[in-house]
Each structure stands twice: as structure tokens, then as C-alpha cells.
Amino acid sequence: VMGVTETNVSLQLAVVQIRITPWANVSIDGTSRGGQSLVMDTLIAGTHLLRFERDGYVSLDSTITLRPGEHRRLNIRMLPRNP
């Protein structure tokens, strides 16, 4: 019977770096990361839901799919909500 080893688990990880202009409240898979202008996180490879919110700006939902070992950089620009 084969078990999961630490090496196998580490191969399933990916890094995401998100730059948000201007800053926004960030959540990844429903977990709040607070108000950020730069987020760098190691996630399990696969699909993740990102949400960006800030008063006076249009909220943004995005889905990313990360491959094992991938290092993804995202640039998010928050758009002002019309008055």
C-alpha cells in the first residue's frame, strides 16, 4: 500500500503572487487575508476562488487553476464604482 509522502505533497504545491491596485480586502477560497496590496501564498495545485473587495470599488471574483510547481503572478486593478 502506497502512502502520501512529504515529497509527494510538496510536488502538489504552487505559489501565487497577487498585486492589487489600489489595495483591497482579499479572500482565497473563502478565507479572508485582510486588506492587502500584495499577497504571496503557497496553495495546493488546483482551482481556487479569489475575491477582491473595497468600499467605493467594484468587487471582483476570479478563479485560477494552478499546476503543481507553478509560480503565478497576477495583477488586479480595482475599478471605482460609479457614483
Side-chain angles (χ1 to χ4, degrees):
V1 176
M2 290 184 57
V4 176
T5 66
E6 283 187 34
T7 302
N8 289 343
V9 171
S10 67
L11 293 176
Q12 300 304 310
L13 298 178
V15 175
V16 63
Q17 180 178 329
I18 309 165
R19 186 174 305 279
I20 308 105
T21 308
W23 68 268
N25 292 302
V26 179
S27 60
I28 300 176
D29 297 327
T31 301
S32 175
R33 303 300 170 99
Q36 303 279 338
S37 60
L38 181 63
V39 175
M40 188 160 178
D41 204 351
T42 301
L43 301 172
I44 295 172
T47 301
H48 300 276
L49 177 63
L50 308 176
R51 183 164 179 82
F52 306 91
E53 299 175 292
R54 182 174 173 178
D55 286 345
Y57 289 81
V58 178
S59 295
L60 176 64
D61 291 312
S62 182
T63 301
I64 59 168
T65 301
L66 301 169
R67 295 183 313 274
E70 184 176 4
H71 187 124
R72 175 88 56 95
R73 287 187 173 95
L74 301 173
N75 289 304
I76 303 295
R77 181 168 298 281
M78 299 296 289
L79 299 176
R81 191 175 287 138
N82 290 334

